[in-house]
């Protein structure tokens, strides 16, 4: 080698430079640069083979040991070690990168390792690197613990004082940044060394509050959550009142303002510390202090001498009678400023005309002497102070200082008088807090003092303060934690102390005003305009005067569209969405609609019955109004003959039987004995349609039901609520004035058992009297008799009125069976003339007249075809067009055809001479052949025209007659349908079709 001694000399110099241990006096920045370059240099030279492997590795290990030892007092070597491991770790420490390990496991390959440095030397370097990683890991854990303790202290300071000192905040932020930096570098080193990082819980900011009792009770978010600062005010008007203040400094000349500002932190009375953390100690100091004068209550403010030089405006005090009178009038008129405009004008007037030291003292005294019964002035006076504060800086601190002295006086006196003055004081402090004249920490300190001695007048003062500025303090990020703690203390006092109901209500009102309950916003489903129009018609616009109009609009819907049909049926079924008095109109609308859309009535009835069943299964008290409306809707549907009586009685018995348990040990949860709502539903249903069950079999069925109903009522818990008892009594007296009332459960139960035995006897008698078989394939029982009335026929028969009211049901049925079994055509027509016939459309019925019409039409068509075949096609001969020059003359191309025999037929003869056309008149006698042919042709054309005109007129006349007949036929059909729906179209108030039919038959009986 040419320079063989170079490697030895270089090694000795590097060893001298990096072998000595690092001392505390060394410069940190120089050490970091020195070791960053030294580690890379020694590693690269060793890998290049300039140094022997053992010498280079020994020097590298020495440097790493020095770094590990010095890192205890000189921090910052972690990025240096990370750089060495990242660039030279594979060669000097035998570290395999993770991506290589992943590839080797995926493809089952062995990556070659570096053999430039012996394996034992690589293991030594790797051991030192891992040892350094463990030391940094321990250091990171300690740093995390320190940050946690520091955050807890800041949290405590925030909760007690309402703010964190600036030095503490900066120290915490610095420690947090250092922790993040070390954690990031250590994570990179852990990935290179394939080590695990320590797990730390998520860091919480210093503003995080403790989990207090009221957070658990009322489901509030933790203080560490986001604070909605936009919720400081109730509405936009309140925000504008407290934040949008006129800037007088920008609109007035500077000479009007006082340039000398006083110290904003005025001294409190002696022995009272401004930042005392312990409210008990502060309260004791307030009570022991004798520096608070009783004259504060009388509104007098001690004059304070100020040695500072005053401005010219302060030295010039207007003492003329006119100026004094004017300012006194200004102060007197101040109590009449009860809106924003007046108080803003008063602030401008004061700055313009009365801004001097003497007037400011008088103004301050006037503001503090607010009458105790004029609390409405406090917010406007506070706005006045907020407007004047930028121009007169000393007015805000002075009024806050005076109010604090007055507050401490009330706390020290601890008497139970002058409650109005106490409330006025805390409300004024609250108003000034919202205008940011009084600091939030001062308002929270007053609230802390009141909550510590939470009794009598202090309760009212604390609640008044919270009702005035509690929402503002709670929704402000810097004061929320402390406000939460004080609210928690107040609620604990409420639960532990035996307070009057008056105080409990005040505390709850103040709390819920400060922390309003969060209600999730209801997301309304968007529907198409057509569906919105349907809901508007049914739920908003419908009344007694426009039912017919709404019916026409509903008929215009596209009922063939499945979506429209389903939505319309669902809207018609929701009777609880209309006004309770309009349920009758909704049934009226459906009664008119089913004549055109039969399926609508069936689907609506199904939905109503399903809704009633669902209400019985759920038994949710919040659905009671909905269930009551649905039951009444069912009764109105029966009044319009959309529901049969059997469905009404089936529903009534379902109210009695569904989910009902007679066991006292295991009562039913669906119908407990102390739940009387089913009784209300039964009364509502029978009050709606029970008046029509006054004759025939339905009368007997209702009488039987009343027996079971009284038994059900006696099973309920006694005594009945007075409203339920009156409802049952009124309903039964209106429907059955002569009904038997049972005085006990035993009597009603005995009557029910006797009725059941009577039913059994009647059933056995009917079974033995008639041949009852169940053989038919459709599963319907056939009764072989001369005639049997179905339930529908019986219901319709008794709607018309029953003349044999004195007979029982069995006797009436026997009379019908003993008759000839045939009803006369007139009787049959009378019985069914008012029936509502529901059909899906016009049904074709074959008859003889239709066949005759078709044969006549075919014959006429065939004759017309044969006649047209025999006609020869005539080609019309067009006349020569009249020349343009003769357009204005009276000449006609064919001449005049209406001539006598001695007259001539005049023609116009056109000749061409050269390039010009000449016209001459040619007269032909009327007796000539040419004139006769022309005359005959004209006459034929005229005759044909008249014939065609007559045919068209006859056709139009015949079509008009057919249209008129069709219109008459439609009117007749409409009149019939109108008569059938007369019960729904002419239903007024409580009189319907059934009432009219009864009165008609009663007239027949008379």
């Amino acid at each position: 080698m040419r320079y063989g001694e170079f490697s030895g000399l270089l090694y000795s110099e590097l060893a001298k430079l990096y072998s000595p241990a690092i001392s505390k006096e060394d410069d940190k920045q120089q050490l970091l640069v020195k070791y960053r370059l030294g580690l890379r240099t020694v590693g690269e030279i060793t890998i290049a083979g300039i140094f022997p492997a053992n010498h280079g590795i020994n020097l590298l290990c020495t440097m790493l040991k020095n770094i590990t030892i010095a890192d205890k007092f000189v921090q910052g070597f972690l990025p240096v070690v990370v750089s060495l491991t990242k660039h030279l770790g594979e060669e000097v420490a035998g570290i395999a990168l993770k991506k290589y390990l992943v590839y080797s496991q995926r493809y089952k390959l062995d990556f070659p390792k570096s053999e430039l440095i012996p394996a034992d030397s690589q293991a030594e370097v790797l051991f030192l690197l891992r040892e350094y990683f463990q030391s940094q890991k321990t250091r990171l854990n300690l740093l995390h613990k320190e940050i946690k303790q520091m955050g807890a202290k800041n949290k405590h300071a925030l909760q007690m004082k309402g703010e964190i000192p600036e030095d503490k905040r900066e120290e915490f932020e610095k420690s947090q940044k250092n922790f993040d930096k070390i954690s990031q570098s250590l994570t990179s080193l852990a990935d290179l060394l394939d080590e695990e990082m320590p797990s730390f819980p998520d860091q919480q900011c210093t503003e995080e509050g403790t989990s207090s009792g009221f957070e658990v009770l009322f489901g509030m978010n933790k203080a560490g959550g986001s604070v909605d600062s936009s919720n400081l005010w109730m509405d936009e008007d309140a925000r504008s009142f407290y934040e949008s203040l006129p800037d007088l400094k920008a609109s007035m000349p500077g000479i009007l303002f006082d340039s000398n500002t006083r110290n904003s932190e005025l001294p409190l009375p002696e022995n009272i510390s401004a930042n005392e953390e312990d409210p008990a100690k502060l309260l004791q100091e307030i009570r022991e202090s004798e520096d608070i004068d009783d004259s504060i209550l009388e509104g007098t403010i001690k004059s304070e001498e100020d040695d500072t030089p005053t401005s010219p405006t302060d030295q010039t005090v207007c003492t003329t009678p006119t100026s004094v009178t004017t300012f006194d009038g200004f102060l007197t008129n101040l109590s009449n400023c009860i809106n924003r405009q007046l108080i803003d004008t008063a602030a401008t007037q004061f700055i313009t005309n009365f801004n001097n030291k003497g007037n400011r003292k008088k103004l301050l005294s006037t503001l503090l002497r607010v009458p105790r019964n004029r609390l409405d002035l406090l917010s406007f006076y506070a706005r006045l102070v907020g407007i004047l504060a930028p121009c007169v800086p000393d007015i805000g601190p002075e009024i806050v200082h005076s109010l604090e002295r007055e507050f401490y006086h009330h706390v020290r006196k601890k008497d139970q008088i002058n409650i109005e003055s106490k409330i006025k004081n805390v409300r004024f402090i609250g108003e000034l807090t919202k205008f940011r004249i009084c600091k939030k920490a001062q308002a929270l300190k007053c609230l802390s003092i009141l909550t510590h001695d939470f009794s009598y007048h202090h309760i009212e003062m604390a609640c008044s303060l919270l009702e005035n500025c509690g929402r503002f303090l709670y929704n402000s990020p810097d004061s929320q934690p402390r406000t939460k703690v004080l609210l928690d203390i107040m609620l604990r006092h409420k639960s532990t102390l035996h307070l009057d109901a008056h105080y409990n209500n005040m505390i709850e009102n103040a709390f819920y005003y400060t922390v309003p309950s969060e209600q999730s916003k209801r997301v309304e489903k968007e529907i198409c305009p057509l569906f919105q129009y349907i809901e508007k018609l049914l739920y908003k616009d419908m009344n007694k005067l426009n039912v017919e109009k709404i019916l026409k609009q509903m008929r215009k819907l596209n009922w063939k569209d499945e979506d429209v049909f389903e939505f319309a049926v669902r809207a018609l079924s929701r009777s609880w969405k209309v006004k309770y008095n309009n349920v009758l109109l909704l049934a009226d609308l459906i009664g008119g609609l089913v004549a055109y859309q039969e399926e609508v009535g069936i689907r609506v009835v199904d939905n109503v019955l399903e809704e009633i069943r669902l209400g019985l299964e759920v038994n949710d008290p919040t659905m009671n109004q909905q269930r009551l409306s649905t039951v009444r809707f069912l009764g109105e549907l029966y009044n319009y003959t959309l529901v049969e009586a059997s469905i009404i009685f089936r529903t009534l018995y379902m109210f009695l039987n569904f989910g009902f348990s007679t066991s006292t040990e295991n009562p039913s949860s669906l119908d407990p004995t102390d739940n009387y709502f089913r009784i209300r539903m039964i009364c509502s249903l029978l009050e709606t349609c029970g008046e029509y069950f006054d004759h025939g079999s339905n009368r007997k069925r209702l009488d039987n039901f009343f027996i079971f109903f009284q038994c059900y009522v006696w099973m309920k818990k006694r005594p009945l609520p007075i409203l339920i008892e009156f409802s049952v009594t009124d309903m039964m007296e209106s429907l059955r004035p002569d009904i038997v009332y049972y005085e006990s459960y035993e009597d009603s139960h005995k009557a029910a058992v006797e009725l059941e035995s009577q039913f059994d006897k009647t059933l056995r008698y009917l079974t033995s009297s008639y041949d009852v078989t169940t053989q038919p394939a459709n599963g319907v029982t056939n009764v072989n008799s001369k005639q049997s009335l179905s339930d529908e026929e019986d219901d319709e028969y008794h709607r018309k009125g029953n003349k044999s009211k004195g007979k029982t049901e069995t006797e009436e049925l026997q009379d019908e069976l003993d008759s000839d079994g045939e009803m006369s055509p007139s009787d049959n027509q009378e019985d069914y003339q008012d029936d509502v016939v529901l059909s899906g459309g016009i049904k074709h019925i074959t008859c003889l007249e239709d066949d005759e019409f078709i044969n006549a039409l075919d014959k006429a068509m065939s004759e017309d075809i044969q006649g047209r075949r025999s006609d020869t096609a005539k080609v019309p001969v067009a006349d020569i067009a009249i020349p343009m020059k003769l357009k204005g003359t009276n000449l006609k191309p064919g001449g005049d055809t209406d001539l006598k025999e001695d007259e001539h037929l005049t023609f116009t003869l056109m000749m061409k001479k050269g390039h010009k056309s000449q016209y001459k008149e040619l007269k032909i006698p009327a007796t000539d052949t040419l004139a006769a042919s022309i005359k005959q042709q004209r006459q034929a054309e005229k005759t044909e025209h008249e014939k065609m005109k007559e045919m068209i007129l006859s056709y139009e006349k015949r079509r008009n007659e057919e249209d008129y007949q069709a219109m008459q036929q439609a009117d007749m059909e409409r009149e019939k349908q109108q008569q059938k729906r007369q019960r729904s179209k002419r239903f007024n108030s409580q009189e319907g079709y059934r009432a009219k039919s009864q009165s008609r038959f009663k007239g027949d009986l008379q």
Side-chain angles (χ1 to χ4, degrees):
M1 300 179 77
R2 188 172 181 178
Y3 300 101
E5 69 278 5
F6 174 75
S7 60
L9 295 174
L10 181 61
Y11 176 77
S12 61
E13 292 297 329
L14 290 175
K16 291 179 183 179
L17 183 62
Y18 291 105
S19 295
I22 301 174
S23 63
K24 296 182 180 180
E25 289 77 12
D26 295 337
D27 188 10
K28 179 179 178 181
Q29 296 298 330
Q30 292 182 359
L31 285 175
L32 293 178
V33 175
K34 173 183 174 182
Y35 273 86
R36 181 185 294 274
L37 296 176
L39 287 173
R40 289 291 300 275
T41 302
V42 173
E44 294 288 353
I45 291 176
T46 304
I47 294 173
I50 298 176
F51 290 162
N54 55 350
H55 291 168
I57 292 299
N58 291 336
L59 181 58
L60 194 64
C61 292
T62 302
M63 296 172 67
L64 289 175
K65 291 178 182 179
N66 291 339
I67 288 174
T68 304
I69 296 172
D71 198 67
K72 297 179 181 179
F73 51 86
V74 181
Q75 302 174 0
F77 286 105
L78 181 59
V80 177
V81 177
V82 172
S83 177
L84 173 66
T85 309
K86 183 177 181 180
H87 294 92
L88 303 177
E90 184 177 359
E91 289 80 6
V92 301
I95 299 173
L97 298 179
K98 276 190 174 182
K99 60 180 181 178
Y100 296 156
L101 296 176
V102 172
Y103 290 152
S104 63
Q105 293 177 1
R106 181 182 300 175
Y107 300 106
K108 298 181 180 180
L109 297 176
D110 295 333
F111 282 89
K113 297 182 179 180
S114 176
E115 298 179 356
L116 297 175
I117 298 176
D120 53 350
S121 299
Q122 291 180 349
E124 185 179 358
V125 175
L126 181 61
F127 174 77
L128 291 175
L129 291 175
R130 288 181 174 173
E131 185 179 5
Y132 180 77
F133 173 79
Q134 294 297 331
S135 64
Q136 292 299 314
K137 184 176 178 180
T138 304
R139 176 189 167 195
L140 189 65
N141 289 328
L142 294 176
L143 185 60
H144 175 262
K145 188 179 295 184
E146 292 177 2
I147 292 176
K148 191 174 180 181
Q149 293 176 356
M150 195 180 304
K153 292 180 180 179
N154 291 343
K155 186 193 308 180
H156 180 73
L158 179 64
Q159 293 171 354
M160 298 302 298
K161 298 182 179 181
E163 59 181 358
I164 301 175
E166 190 65 27
D167 54 344
K168 298 293 184 181
R169 185 186 295 273
E170 292 178 357
E171 182 182 0
F172 178 82
E173 293 177 353
K174 183 178 179 181
S175 301
Q176 185 69 40
K177 291 180 181 179
N178 187 25
F179 176 83
D180 296 338
K181 184 177 179 180
I182 295 175
S183 177
Q184 184 178 1
S185 300
L186 196 61
T187 302
S188 301
L189 184 60
D191 292 339
L192 294 172
L193 297 178
D194 196 16
E195 295 286 342
E196 292 184 359
M197 274 289 294
S199 60
F200 302 105
D202 296 337
Q203 297 296 314
Q204 305 292 338
C205 61
T206 57
E207 287 79 12
E208 178 181 351
T210 58
S211 177
S212 54
F214 71 93
E215 293 173 358
V216 178
L217 291 175
F218 298 94
M220 294 172 50
N221 296 328
K222 292 186 178 181
S226 60
V227 179
D228 187 9
S229 58
S230 63
N231 197 26
L232 290 175
W233 316 109
M234 291 288 292
D235 49 26
E236 185 63 23
D237 293 338
R239 188 201 64 78
S240 176
F241 181 81
Y242 289 103
E243 293 186 351
S244 300
L245 303 178
D247 189 3
L248 298 182
K249 224 171 188 181
S251 59
M252 298 276 182
I255 196 172
L256 298 175
F257 308 138
D258 183 13
S259 59
N260 298 315
T261 59
R262 301 176 59 181
N263 186 12
S264 59
E265 296 293 338
L266 297 178
L268 292 174
E270 295 181 0
N271 301 328
I272 298 180
S273 19
N275 296 322
E276 183 62 50
E277 295 185 1
D278 189 3
K281 186 176 181 180
L282 180 60
L283 186 62
Q284 185 66 23
E285 291 179 357
I286 291 173
R287 291 174 179 173
E288 293 176 357
S289 176
E290 298 179 356
D291 189 51
I292 303 177
D293 194 2
D294 293 344
S295 61
I296 295 178
L297 284 178
E298 302 174 0
T300 59
I301 302 176
K302 297 180 179 180
S303 60
E304 299 177 0
E305 298 293 337
D306 194 356
D307 297 333
T308 59
T310 59
S311 62
T313 58
D314 292 338
Q315 296 174 1
T316 306
V317 180
C318 297
T319 58
T320 61
T322 304
S323 63
V324 173
T325 304
T326 304
F327 185 68
D328 291 342
F330 170 80
L331 295 179
T332 304
N333 191 44
L334 204 60
S335 61
N336 298 326
C337 299
I338 54 175
N339 57 44
R340 292 176 56 178
Q341 183 179 0
L342 293 176
I343 204 68
D344 295 349
T345 304
T348 305
Q349 185 179 0
F350 177 81
I351 290 295
T352 306
N353 303 322
F354 311 114
N355 186 17
N356 55 61
K357 185 174 182 180
N359 290 343
R360 286 199 296 270
K361 288 186 177 181
K362 291 181 180 180
L363 176 64
L364 188 63
S365 177
T366 303
L367 294 179
L368 292 173
R369 291 178 179 177
V370 180
R372 58 188 181 183
N373 58 347
R374 290 298 305 275
L375 299 180
D376 58 304
L377 295 176
L378 295 179
S379 58
F380 297 105
Y381 283 5
R383 181 177 174 87
L384 177 64
V385 176
I387 296 173
L388 296 178
C391 307
V392 188
D394 58 347
I395 190 172
E398 284 184 359
I399 194 170
V400 171
H401 177 66
S402 300
L403 290 173
E404 279 190 332
R405 289 170 61 87
E406 182 179 352
F407 174 80
Y408 293 143
H409 169 80
H410 290 308
V411 172
R412 182 174 65 86
K413 293 291 289 184
K414 202 178 182 181
D415 53 9
Q416 301 304 315
I417 58 176
N418 299 325
I419 183 61
E420 295 89 352
S421 301
K422 297 176 181 178
I423 292 178
K424 181 199 71 173
N425 175 261
V426 294
R427 287 179 66 89
F428 208 169
I429 293 175
E431 292 292 344
L432 293 173
T433 303
K434 288 190 286 187
F435 280 103
R436 295 176 174 84
I437 302 298
C438 178
K439 292 184 178 181
K440 301 173 187 176
Q442 293 173 309
L444 290 173
K445 184 170 64 176
C446 294
L447 183 60
S448 176
I449 293 172
L450 295 174
T451 54
H452 184 77
D453 187 10
F454 202 62
S455 60
Y456 303 110
H457 284 186
H458 288 182
I459 298 177
E460 298 189 25
M461 294 172 66
C463 293
S464 298
L465 182 60
L466 287 175
E467 290 176 356
N468 196 265
C469 66
R471 182 188 294 269
F472 176 79
L473 295 174
Y474 180 80
N475 291 320
S476 299
D478 53 347
S479 60
Q480 189 196 51
R482 180 59 179 158
T483 308
K484 281 189 173 185
V485 173
L486 295 176
L487 288 173
D488 184 22
I489 294 173
M490 189 173 67
L491 290 179
R492 289 178 180 175
H493 284 320
K494 172 181 172 293
S495 60
T496 55
L497 300 176
H498 299 285
L499 303 174
D500 295 340
H502 170 65
Y503 290 128
N504 289 333
N505 292 334
M506 290 182 62
I507 295 172
E508 291 178 359
N509 292 338
F511 175 82
Y512 284 113
Y513 178 82
T514 305
V515 189
S517 58
E518 297 182 359
Q519 297 180 356
S520 59
K521 294 184 178 179
R522 186 177 181 181
V523 180
E524 296 185 358
K525 184 179 179 181
E526 295 184 359
I527 58 178
C528 66
L530 177 60
F531 294 168
Q532 293 179 6
Y533 178 69
I534 294 174
E535 289 185 344
K536 177 178 178 296
L537 288 178
L538 297 179
Y539 303 151
K540 296 182 181 180
D541 297 346
M542 187 168 59
N543 53 52
K544 294 181 179 180
L545 302 178
N546 62 0
V547 177
E548 294 290 338
K549 180 180 178 181
I550 294 177
L551 175 60
K552 292 179 181 179
Q553 296 295 325
M554 295 295 293
R555 286 175 55 191
K556 293 179 182 179
L557 297 177
N558 184 13
W559 294 96
K560 295 182 180 180
D561 188 348
E562 185 177 354
D563 295 337
V564 175
F565 180 84
E566 292 294 336
F567 184 85
V569 169
R570 186 165 62 251
L572 290 170
S573 303
R574 295 180 176 179
S575 60
W576 59 90
K577 287 195 172 183
V578 303
K579 296 180 180 179
Y580 190 73
N581 294 332
N582 289 348
V583 173
L584 179 145
L585 303 179
L586 184 61
D588 184 7
L589 179 65
I590 298 173
L593 192 60
V594 292
Y596 306 96
Q597 301 294 334
E598 180 182 359
E599 186 67 19
V600 173
I602 300 173
R603 292 287 299 277
V604 168
V605 173
D606 289 344
N607 291 343
V608 171
L609 295 177
E610 181 67 23
E611 191 68 32
I612 294 175
R613 176 75 179 222
L614 178 63
L616 294 176
E617 293 177 353
V618 176
N619 194 27
D620 186 4
T622 60
M623 297 173 58
N624 285 352
Q625 190 64 33
Q626 175 178 337
R627 294 168 64 186
L628 202 62
S629 177
T630 306
V631 168
R632 187 194 172 187
F633 186 43
L634 178 64
E636 297 294 349
L637 291 177
Y638 174 78
N639 293 342
Y640 287 96
T641 66
L642 298 174
V643 176
E644 298 298 334
S646 58
I647 296 178
I648 299 297
F649 283 103
R650 192 180 302 122
T651 305
L652 290 172
Y653 280 107
M654 184 172 61
F655 288 148
L656 301 182
N657 299 328
F658 186 83
F660 181 75
S661 175
T662 57
S663 176
T664 57
E665 298 178 355
N666 187 18
S668 174
S669 59
L670 299 179
D671 187 20
T673 56
D674 57 348
N675 190 345
Y676 309 97
F677 189 71
R678 291 194 183 186
I679 301 177
R680 287 190 61 189
M681 290 194 294
I682 292 173
C683 293
S684 177
L685 181 57
L686 290 178
E687 287 173 356
T688 304
C689 62
E691 59 181 326
Y692 303 114
F693 302 143
D694 58 348
H695 49 264
S697 59
N698 290 335
R699 178 183 179 86
K700 185 64 176 178
R701 294 166 73 178
L702 183 61
D703 294 340
N704 296 337
F705 170 77
F706 278 146
I707 296 176
F708 294 103
F709 177 63
Q710 292 190 62
C711 184
Y712 174 81
V713 171
W714 277 105
M715 289 181 181
K716 289 296 182 179
K717 186 177 180 180
R718 293 285 174 161
L720 294 177
I722 191 67
L723 180 62
I724 298 297
E725 186 175 358
F726 286 166
S727 299
V728 174
T729 305
D730 295 343
M731 182 268 296
M732 297 182 68
E733 287 182 354
S734 62
L735 298 181
R736 296 293 184 269
D738 54 349
I739 193 173
V740 177
Y741 291 94
Y742 299 105
E743 299 297 333
S744 63
Y745 168 73
E746 289 76 11
D747 297 341
S748 60
H749 180 68
K750 182 179 180 181
V753 172
E754 292 178 356
L755 184 59
E756 289 179 356
S757 62
Q758 184 179 356
F759 283 163
D760 294 339
K761 293 179 181 179
T762 306
L763 182 61
R764 286 194 297 269
Y765 170 75
L766 294 176
T767 305
S768 61
S769 300
Y770 303 102
D771 183 13
V772 181
T773 61
T774 58
Q775 191 62 28
N778 58 3
V780 180
T781 303
N782 294 332
V783 180
N784 296 329
S785 62
K786 293 183 179 181
Q787 181 183 6
S788 62
L789 296 176
S790 63
D791 182 65
E792 293 81 2
E793 294 172 346
D794 181 72
D795 185 53
E796 182 67 25
Y797 174 77
H798 289 293
R799 289 174 194 171
K800 303 297 185 294
N802 191 0
K803 297 182 179 180
S804 56
K805 289 187 177 181
K807 300 181 181 180
T808 62
E809 182 180 2
T810 306
E811 294 174 350
E812 292 172 1
L813 181 59
Q814 190 64 34
D815 292 343
E816 293 292 333
L817 294 176
D818 293 340
S819 64
D820 56 350
E822 294 291 333
M823 298 181 68
S824 63
S826 60
D827 294 339
N828 189 23
Q829 184 178 2
E830 182 181 359
D831 287 344
Y832 293 96
Q833 65 179 354
D834 291 330
D835 287 351
V836 176
V837 180
L838 304 179
S839 61
I842 300 176
K843 298 180 180 180
H844 176 69
I845 301 176
T846 58
C847 59
L848 182 61
E849 288 78 2
D850 293 342
D851 297 338
E852 293 178 354
F853 173 77
I854 293 174
N855 294 333
L857 179 61
D858 293 341
K859 183 178 179 181
M861 291 293 294
S862 62
E863 291 177 356
D864 183 68
I865 294 173
Q866 293 297 331
R868 288 188 176 276
R869 287 179 180 178
S870 61
D871 293 342
T872 58
K874 296 180 181 181
V875 180
V877 179
D879 293 331
I880 298 175
I882 300 175
M884 297 298 295
K885 292 182 179 181
L886 302 178
K887 285 285 186 178
T889 65
N890 295 327
L891 297 177
K892 297 182 181 180
D896 191 4
T897 57
D898 298 335
L899 298 176
K900 299 180 180 179
E901 293 182 358
D902 56 348
E903 293 181 356
H904 294 83
L905 184 63
T906 304
F907 286 88
T908 300
L909 180 62
M910 184 177 65
M911 296 184 300
K912 189 173 184 182
K913 186 176 182 179
H915 297 286
K916 296 182 179 180
S917 299
Q918 297 179 358
Y919 305 96
K920 293 183 179 181
E921 292 184 357
L922 181 62
K923 296 183 178 181
I924 300 176
T927 58
D928 191 75
T929 307
L930 178 61
S933 63
I934 292 176
K935 182 179 180 180
Q936 184 179 2
Q937 181 183 357
R938 295 285 184 178
Q939 190 67 29
E941 290 178 357
K942 184 177 181 180
T943 305
E944 185 177 0
H945 178 72
E946 293 293 336
K947 184 178 179 180
M948 184 62 66
K949 181 178 180 181
E950 184 179 358
M951 289 178 60
I952 292 174
L953 291 176
S954 63
Y955 172 74
E956 290 292 334
K957 183 178 180 180
R958 186 172 64 254
R959 190 177 65 176
N960 291 337
E961 290 178 355
E962 291 176 354
D963 292 345
Y964 180 72
Q965 292 177 0
M967 188 182 300
Q968 284 186 335
Q969 186 68 21
D971 292 340
M972 293 175 63
E973 292 294 335
R974 191 179 299 108
E975 186 177 356
K976 291 181 180 179
Q977 294 293 337
Q978 190 74 10
Q979 292 176 356
K980 294 177 182 179
R981 297 196 309 272
Q982 189 177 5
R983 62 196 177 283
S984 60
K985 298 299 183 179
R986 297 293 183 266
F987 191 94
N988 296 324
S989 182
Q990 298 298 328
E991 297 181 0
Y993 167 80
R994 303 176 189 274
K996 291 183 179 181
S997 61
Q998 291 176 14
S999 62
R1000 182 172 66 252
F1001 280 95
K1002 289 179 180 179
D1004 295 341
L1005 291 175
Q1006 293 176 358

